[in-house]
Amino acid sequence: MEKTMLNQEIDRIQNTQLRETLIAYFNHVVPDYFWTIPSSSSGKYHSSFDSGEGGLVRHTKMCVLVAEELLRLEEFNKIDPDCMYAAMLLHDSFKHGKDGRHYRADHPRLAADAWRDFAKAKELPESIAMAITYAIAWHSGQWSGPSTRDNFEKPAAYMAEIKCAHLCDYIASRGFFNKINTL
């Protein structure tokens, strides 16, 4: 897998500063394993299309596609699409932690912390950086563990982003996609 695998998704982002920050983040922060691991180490919580080598990249691409559809809904029409696309591109960037040895239940917090710090260092506007940070931190929704609950509140200003990110990840990871060929 190559980092060019997400070029089409990254190119959706219209804000030049955000797009350049995101590219730098992928080039300098995201662990190399991101490009090769499956979306689920057990295969239990994702569909077969995102299993195997490169599965996490396929899952990430699917999340961006789901975001594009959800952003058409009135409930989410005030969300900046660039922020949601960026959040979906980054939400699982530390799925196996920093070292890549195994799945980490605290990966939403790890990814949110790394993104927040990087965005701040790159002087990305705080409103953009934090919309993405909260969406990443809470993308697991009701399954967000203590590391997220203890480190990230759910500010009212970002509830739409938090809900949308969770729905994108949830829909993109459903096993019912495995039934398509059997219908």
Side-chain angles (χ1 to χ4, degrees):
M1 288 285 165
E2 295 181 18
K3 294 180 181 184
T4 57
M5 294 296 297
L6 294 175
N7 281 353
Q8 186 176 5
E9 290 72 22
I10 291 170
D11 286 346
R12 292 173 191 260
I13 296 172
Q14 300 298 306
N15 179 312
T16 304
Q17 184 184 11
L18 175 56
R19 188 174 57 250
E20 289 174 359
T21 302
L22 191 64
I23 290 167
Y25 185 82
F26 271 107
N27 287 333
H28 302 292
V29 180
V30 173
D32 288 338
Y33 70 76
F34 174 86
W35 306 100
T36 58
I37 65 169
S39 58
S40 173
S41 54
S42 68
K44 190 174 175 182
Y45 298 110
H46 285 264
S47 56
S48 58
F49 83 88
D50 56 11
S51 63
E53 184 171 342
L56 187 55
V57 172
R58 289 189 296 279
H59 167 70
T60 299
K61 292 168 93 54
M62 177 65 93
C63 285
V64 172
L65 290 173
V66 172
E68 183 177 47
E69 293 301 318
L70 290 181
L71 290 171
R72 296 174 190 209
L73 299 174
E74 185 176 322
E75 179 177 357
F76 300 123
N77 67 6
K78 289 189 173 38
I79 294 174
D80 179 346
D82 287 351
C83 289
M84 189 51 52
Y85 297 150
M88 291 298 84
L89 286 163
L90 300 172
H91 78 284
D92 279 342
S93 57
F94 282 87
K95 190 133 188 185
H96 285 192
K98 294 178 182 175
D99 61 17
R101 283 191 254 164
H102 56 81
Y103 169 77
R104 294 281 302 260
D106 63 345
H107 74 275
R109 181 189 55 80
L110 295 172
D113 284 344
W115 167 253
R116 182 194 59 225
D117 295 346
F118 189 81
K120 184 176 182 176
K122 293 292 184 180
E123 299 181 358
L124 197 64
E126 186 173 355
S127 61
I128 292 172
M130 294 314 291
I132 296 166
T133 297
Y134 283 111
I136 293 168
W138 289 100
H139 79 265
S140 295
Q142 69 190 39
W143 297 285
S144 296
S147 73
T148 297
R149 288 192 303 268
D150 294 346
N151 290 287
F152 292 95
E153 57 189 52
K154 285 186 179 178
Y158 300 112
M159 285 307 293
E161 287 86 351
I162 289 168
K163 183 175 182 181
C164 189
H166 172 57
L167 287 173
C168 290
D169 185 52
Y170 183 77
I171 292 167
S173 65
R174 294 302 84 197
F176 63 76
F177 289 116
N178 295 335
K179 298 176 184 177
I180 298 291
N181 292 334
T182 61
L183 298 178

